[in-house]
Amino acid sequence: NAGVTQTPKFQVLKTGQSMTLQCAQDMNHNSMYWYRQDPGMGLRLIYYSASEGTTDKGEVPNGYNVSRLNKREFSLRLESAAPSQTSVYFCASSPTSGSANTGELFFGEGSRLTVL
Amino acid sequence: DQQVKQNSPSLSVQEGRISILNCDYTNSMFDYFLWYKKYPAEGPTFLISISSIKDKNEDGRFTVFLNKSAKHLSLHIVPSQPGDSAVYFCAASNFGNEKLTFGTGTRLTIIP
């Protein structure tokens, strides 16, 4: 029972480099999310996808792009990494969406990204 | 503008005693509240939730209380156990809204 799987778990980038964080869930969930966690800031929503083919901005979308490749996969791309994007990134999924969404999310283990 | 606030970054409690974690919110549109627990190097896991039509929800050792007039909720853990040592995040949303707003977290340490 894998749940939500994120890759890579650790990554070091130089300023200006690009990279994609991959996320896959095997629970047939409709909604998927990307959060970042920073000290003293809690978890902040970057982007989310209520269903395959749809994506929407969260609280801190600048500098990121996302792709909902299919129902299972939701990737987060940094086109030109900046030191301010050093963070721990969490992917999450939810079995419900829209008016049925209860906010009960299932999280991956996180991806720690350092931008030098 | 922090809409969900956890003013205590850390809390230490003796094993067997009650742990009380607090959370305040400013957005009166929030109508659904959740608590998540996070161990180091793991993702957060859902613990318990409450909707604004209730003022209390219980699940085993965990009880969440909601005071809508004060815009305050609390999580009670009794009795506290060493495995409860973790970071606890409070979160809030409008029911049916995809966006969940998290607090900054409280690190709970249970002392054996």
Side-chain angles (χ1 to χ4, degrees), chain B residues 66-82:
Chain B
L66 175 62
N67 182 333
K68 291 186 289 292
S69 61
K71 295 191 178 68
H72 177 84
L73 65 156
S74 60
L75 174 68
H76 293 210
I77 306 173
V78 56
S80 299
Q81 299 174 354

Side-chain angles (χ1 to χ4, degrees), chain B residues 50-96:
Chain B
I50 187 169
S51 78
S52 59
I53 62 172
K54 295 184 176 182
D55 53 18
K56 176 182 174 181
N57 188 28
E58 214 170 332
D59 183 2
R61 296 187 298 113
F62 302 92
T63 303
V64 57
F65 295 91
L66 175 62
N67 182 333
K68 291 186 289 292
S69 61
K71 295 191 178 68
H72 177 84
L73 65 156
S74 60
L75 174 68
H76 293 210
I77 306 173
V78 56
S80 299
Q81 299 174 354
D84 296 330
S85 293
V87 176
Y88 290 79
F89 290 99
C90 169
S93 74
N94 306 121
F95 191 85

Side-chain angles (χ1 to χ4, degrees), chain A residues 3-34:
Chain A
V4 178
T5 303
Q6 295 181 228
T7 55
K9 289 193 168 31
F10 300 94
Q11 183 73 48
V12 178
L13 290 177
K14 294 181 180 179
T15 297
Q17 287 185 318
S18 63
M19 77 157 298
T20 299
L21 297 175
Q22 307 286 356
C23 175
Q25 51 92 6
D26 61 3
M27 297 174 284
N28 201 35
H29 286 174
N30 290 318
S31 299
M32 296 187 73
Y33 308 79
W34 277 105

Side-chain angles (χ1 to χ4, degrees), chain B residues 5-54:
Chain B
K5 301 177 185 179
Q6 294 176 257
N7 292 319
S8 298
S10 63
L11 175 68
S12 294
V13 174
Q14 289 281 349
E15 181 179 359
R17 305 293 292 269
I18 183 171
S19 296
I20 300 176
L21 294 91
N22 294 303
C23 178
D24 297 294
Y25 62 96
T26 57
N27 188 339
S28 58
M29 299 299 292
F30 288 146
D31 57 10
Y32 200 74
F33 305 90
L34 307 93
W35 285 93
Y36 282 81
K37 176 179 179 179
K38 184 183 180 307
Y39 292 119
E42 294 185 11
T45 54
F46 169 74
L47 191 57
I48 192 170
S49 62
I50 187 169
S51 78
S52 59
I53 62 172
K54 295 184 176 182

